[in-house]
């Protein structure tokens, strides 16, 4: 569906040139929900604006359905852009227009008859769950309702692609979840390809199939969401994922010398993490029974991502040294990541 090939974007500034994007390559499949994540200034918003040529790349190709937008004649480009819609953090609704007329606006520009536009706008209000807001004005709506109207307006042109630039950043967590649920529903019902620009890994975990991590205008890591959460390679990815997990708190407790992490001789603190999708056995009880060791769980943080459990457990293992070692080897065989955080086993 979308291929970004060797995209570079350079902006002239008073101090010389600023390279916002540097040789970015991403492939987004038809019907995918694709996350692009990075800190402020990483280049993610510039990249998403290159997809519909709101920003024209300095070099590289933007290929959609096999056609390079960068060399497309102006008339054909206008037509192609109608298949790409966009929603923003600040909603960008026309305040002097009712919700119905906001949704009609892109259809008016495209020359759709007023009666047909109104009929479709009412259908879209149903789809986004606000059929009673046709005559309301944006100022009368909550943030979540405004974003629903913006989504309805974005769908008015029957797009194949929906670009979401920090679309949930201005919303509270509960409203964010509702909007993400709506987007995932639209993705499945309409086979809508969605590109999510965000700085929040929680958003990616909730809705995305694939993700690219950006830093300093480059993609430093990309792949399936589960794989990146299970086994992040780059420091920036690891830092992002830490923000979504309680399992990192153990390091603070160890650094503080908390009583929770004080060990008896022979004990060890381990962080166990799921790194493959096929972990489904009751591992904790198996360890206890098979190796005669006890596990005192300090933290557990397990979620379902892409229909598989991800996260893990921090626990104190107690028992005979040899049995603890065998238990950890068994976990590794079962595709569980094992990280020793503190060790009070006798070494002589």
């Amino acid at each position: 569906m979308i291929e970004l090939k060797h995209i570079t974007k350079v902006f002239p500034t008073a101090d010389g040139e600023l390279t916002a994007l540097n040789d970015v390559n991403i492939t987004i499949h038809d019907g995918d929900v694709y996350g692009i994540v990075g800190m402020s200034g990483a280049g993610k918003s510039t990249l998403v604006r290159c997809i519909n040529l709101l920003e024209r790349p300095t070099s590289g190709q933007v290929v959609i359905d096999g056609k390079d937008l960068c060399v497309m004649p102006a008339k054909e480009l206008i037509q192609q852009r109608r298949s790409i819609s966009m929603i923003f953090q600040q909603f960008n609704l026309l305040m002097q227009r009712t919700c119905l007329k906001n949704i009609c606006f892109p259809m008016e520009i495209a020359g759709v008859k007023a009666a047909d536009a109104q009929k479709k706008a009412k259908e879209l209000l149903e789809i986004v769950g606000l059929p009673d807001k046709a005559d309301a004005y944006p100022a009368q709506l909550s943030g979540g309702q405004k974003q629903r109207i913006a989504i309805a307006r974005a769908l008015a042109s029957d797009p194949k692609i929906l670009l979401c630039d920090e679309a949930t950043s201005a919303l509270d967590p509960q409203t964010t979840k509702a909007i993400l649920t709506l987007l995932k529903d639209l993705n499945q019902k309409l086979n809508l390809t969605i590109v999510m620009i965000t700085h929040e890994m929680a958003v990616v975990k909730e809705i995305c199939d694939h993700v690219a991590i950006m830093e300093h205008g480059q993609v430093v890591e990309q792949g399936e969401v589960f794989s990146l959460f299970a086994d992040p390679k780059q420091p920036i990815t690891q830092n992002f994922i830490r923000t979504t997990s309680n399992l990192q708190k153990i390091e603070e407790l160890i650094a503080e010398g908390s009583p929770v992490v004080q060990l008896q001789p022979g004990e060890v603190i381990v962080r166990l993490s799921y790194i493959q999708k096929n972990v489904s056995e009751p591992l904790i009880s198996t360890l206890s029974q098979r190796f005669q060791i006890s596990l005192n769980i300090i933290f557990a943080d397990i979620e379902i991502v892409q229909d598989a459990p991800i996260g893990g457990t921090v626990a104190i293992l107690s028992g005979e040294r040899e049995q603890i070692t065998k238990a950890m080897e068994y976990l590794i065989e079962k595709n569980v990541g094992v990280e020793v955080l503190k060790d009070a086993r006798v070494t002589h």
Side-chain angles (χ1 to χ4, degrees):
M1 169 60 85
I2 304 169
E3 288 179 281
L4 304 176
K5 299 180 177 181
H6 305 291
I7 298 292
T8 294
K9 177 66 181 177
V10 179
F11 290 102
T13 71
D15 302 322
E17 292 186 333
L18 171 70
T19 302
L21 298 171
N22 185 6
D23 195 32
V24 172
N25 294 278
I26 289 176
T27 299
I28 301 170
H29 297 293
D30 190 18
D32 211 356
V33 181
Y34 198 101
I36 298 175
V37 182
M39 307 290 266
S40 295
K44 56 192 188 298
S45 288
T46 302
L47 182 64
V48 81
R49 290 165 70 85
C50 285
I51 294 175
N52 57 6
L53 258 55
L54 281 177
E55 292 287 358
R56 191 169 276 274
T58 306
S59 62
Q61 295 175 287
V62 179
V63 181
I64 295 180
D65 282 342
K67 297 174 184 173
D68 184 359
L69 269 59
C70 298
V71 297
M72 202 174 266
K75 196 172 179 181
E76 197 180 336
L77 180 59
I78 289 168
Q79 195 62 38
Q80 183 70 47
R81 273 181 168 154
R82 285 187 183 142
S83 70
I84 308 170
S85 283
M86 198 165 186
I87 57 172
F88 306 87
Q89 180 177 349
Q90 298 303 334
F91 324 123
N92 292 8
L93 298 174
L94 300 166
M95 302 306 283
Q96 72 279 17
R97 280 181 164 237
T98 64
C99 292
L100 189 78
K101 289 188 174 174
N102 261 285
I103 299 166
C104 288
F105 187 56
M107 293 184 276
E108 287 172 21
I109 293 170
V112 176
K113 288 179 184 174
D116 293 339
Q118 289 208 6
K119 182 172 181 283
K120 182 160 188 180
K122 285 176 181 174
E123 290 169 4
L124 289 168
L125 280 167
E126 290 276 356
I127 286 172
V128 299
L130 294 176
D132 57 334
K133 298 296 182 186
D135 298 323
Y137 286 84
Q140 298 169 296
L141 304 180
S142 68
Q145 289 171 332
K146 286 176 187 170
Q147 196 57 287
R148 284 172 185 270
I149 298 300
I151 290 168
R153 182 183 59 185
L155 296 175
S157 59
D158 294 320
K160 294 180 184 175
I161 299 165
L162 180 63
L163 308 177
C164 305
D165 192 0
E166 299 280 10
T168 58
S169 294
L171 306 174
D172 63 77
Q174 192 174 351
T175 308
T176 291
K177 192 164 179 59
I179 293 295
L180 294 178
T181 300
L182 172 62
L183 288 171
K184 189 68 180 174
D185 195 41
L186 294 170
N187 159 253
Q188 291 168 347
K189 285 181 178 170
L190 306 176
N191 194 36
L192 191 63
T193 303
I194 297 178
V195 183
M196 297 285 299
I197 299 296
T198 182
H199 61 274
E200 299 170 292
M201 281 306 256
V203 167
V204 170
K205 188 161 57 176
E206 189 75 33
I207 190 176
C208 296
D209 304 305
H210 295 84
V211 61
I213 312 296
M214 291 193 69
E215 189 176 30
H216 306 312
Q218 294 180 303
V219 172
V220 295
E221 194 164 0
Q222 60 182 309
E224 209 182 16
V225 168
F226 183 93
S227 302
L228 252 76
F229 269 85
D231 190 20
K233 299 284 193 290
Q234 297 296 323
I236 182 80
T237 314
Q238 292 162 0
N239 288 337
F240 269 124
I241 288 168
R242 279 195 188 101
T243 66
T244 71
S245 172
N246 284 324
L247 298 184
Q248 310 309 322
K249 291 178 183 172
I250 187 66
E251 277 141 6
E252 293 171 28
L253 293 179
I254 290 171
E256 292 164 4
S258 167
V260 175
V261 295
Q262 295 306 314
L263 300 181
Q264 299 298 319
E267 293 182 335
V268 58
I269 299 179
V270 293
R271 179 161 46 210
L272 311 176
S273 51
Y274 293 137
I275 54 175
Q276 290 198 5
K277 284 189 175 181
N278 57 359
V279 177
S280 58
E281 297 176 35
L283 293 171
I284 300 296
S285 58
T286 302
L287 285 188
S288 186
Q289 292 165 18
R290 182 180 287 201
F291 300 101
Q292 291 82 51
I293 62 173
S294 62
L295 291 92
N296 176 15
I297 295 173
I298 303 173
F299 286 117
D301 189 352
I302 297 170
E303 295 179 86
I304 303 300
V305 173
Q306 291 188 312
D307 300 321
I310 198 162
T313 305
V314 174
I316 297 174
L317 306 187
S318 307
E320 291 183 17
R321 178 185 171 83
E322 190 179 339
Q323 292 298 91
I324 289 176
T325 302
K326 283 182 179 176
M328 291 196 289
E329 288 168 355
Y330 171 81
L331 287 168
I332 291 165
E333 280 173 27
K334 293 291 180 181
N335 299 315
V336 175
V338 178
E339 187 183 357
V340 175
L341 300 177
K342 192 175 179 185
D343 196 340
R345 289 174 290 178
V346 180
T347 53
H348 56 270

